[in-house]
Amino acid sequence: MKKMLLIVVLSLFVCKSVLATDISGYWSGYFSSNLVVSSYVYMQLDQFGKTVNGTVSGDDGFKGKIRGTVKGQNFKFKIQQTTKKCKGNFKGNATVHFKYLKTIGEKLQFEDAQFDLKSSTSYYMEFTFTGKNCKGTHKNGEGYVVKQ
């Protein structure tokens, strides 16, 4: 009986480890806030256990460092904007999903933007954020990124 219980406990531990969310890799998508109508965003993330570190950039010259923690399908993060003439700090939360929102052929449709799915996995993240930079206080920030 003790051996059976040990096998069940070890099996559950192994299954939990295999199913852990890994968000390492390259992500691309868009974001918006009360101060930004819509802008593309790119993230390179490295995950070690629950800890995530990486870089963030955007088409408008935005650059920054991102760090955070993953718990289940939730990713809590902070971004330090390092753009020379526009420093800032942001914090946010993301939910990792394992399916596409809506596909159109080989494209993923996010409101007014489409992303090519040819090299994508089935991961995407929805996120919300707040923070301040040279443009002012960002409220109601939101976005989507697709793992490439």
Side-chain angles (χ1 to χ4, degrees), residues 68-83:
T69 55
V70 174
K71 184 175 183 183
Q73 288 181 248
N74 298 310
F75 173 41
K76 187 173 183 176
F77 61 88
K78 290 184 179 182
I79 295 175
Q80 178 186 11
Q81 185 173 346
T82 58
T83 311

Side-chain angles (χ1 to χ4, degrees), residues 123-139:
Y123 285 14
Y124 75 91
M125 282 193 276
E126 300 178 84
F127 61 89
T128 59
F129 68 93
T130 59
K132 291 183 179 181
N133 66 3
C134 64
K135 294 180 181 182
T137 300
H138 293 259
K139 299 176 184 175

Side-chain angles (χ1 to χ4, degrees), residues 57-71:
S57 62
D59 282 346
D60 62 354
F62 170 86
K63 291 183 185 202
K65 297 176 183 178
I66 186 170
R67 63 182 185 163
T69 55
V70 174
K71 184 175 183 183

Side-chain angles (χ1 to χ4, degrees), residues 10-131:
L10 287 174
S11 297
L12 290 173
F13 177 76
V14 170
C15 287
K16 186 176 178 181
S17 298
V18 169
L19 297 175
T21 303
D22 182 3
I23 62 172
S24 294
Y26 182 74
W27 298 74
S28 63
Y30 87 96
F31 73 96
S32 63
S33 74
N34 61 314
L35 300 176
V36 178
V37 176
S38 184
S39 184
Y40 286 99
V41 63
Y42 310 95
M43 292 189 263
Q44 178 64 51
L45 303 177
D46 296 309
Q47 183 175 341
F48 304 96
K50 294 180 180 181
T51 303
V52 177
N53 292 296
T55 57
V56 181
S57 62
D59 282 346
D60 62 354
F62 170 86
K63 291 183 185 202
K65 297 176 183 178
I66 186 170
R67 63 182 185 163
T69 55
V70 174
K71 184 175 183 183
Q73 288 181 248
N74 298 310
F75 173 41
K76 187 173 183 176
F77 61 88
K78 290 184 179 182
I79 295 175
Q80 178 186 11
Q81 185 173 346
T82 58
T83 311
K84 282 188 179 184
K85 294 184 179 182
C86 191
K87 308 280 186 202
N89 290 291
F90 300 88
K91 63 181 178 177
N93 293 292
T95 302
V96 182
H97 299 278
F98 302 101
K99 301 186 232 180
Y100 296 122
L101 285 176
K102 178 180 177 187
T103 57
I104 301 173
E106 292 184 342
K107 301 282 182 188
L108 176 62
Q109 181 72 39
F110 290 122
E111 295 178 13
D112 63 342
Q114 286 189 6
F115 299 95
D116 190 2
L117 296 178
K118 289 181 182 175
S119 63
S120 296
T121 67
S122 58
Y123 285 14
Y124 75 91
M125 282 193 276
E126 300 178 84
F127 61 89
T128 59
F129 68 93
T130 59

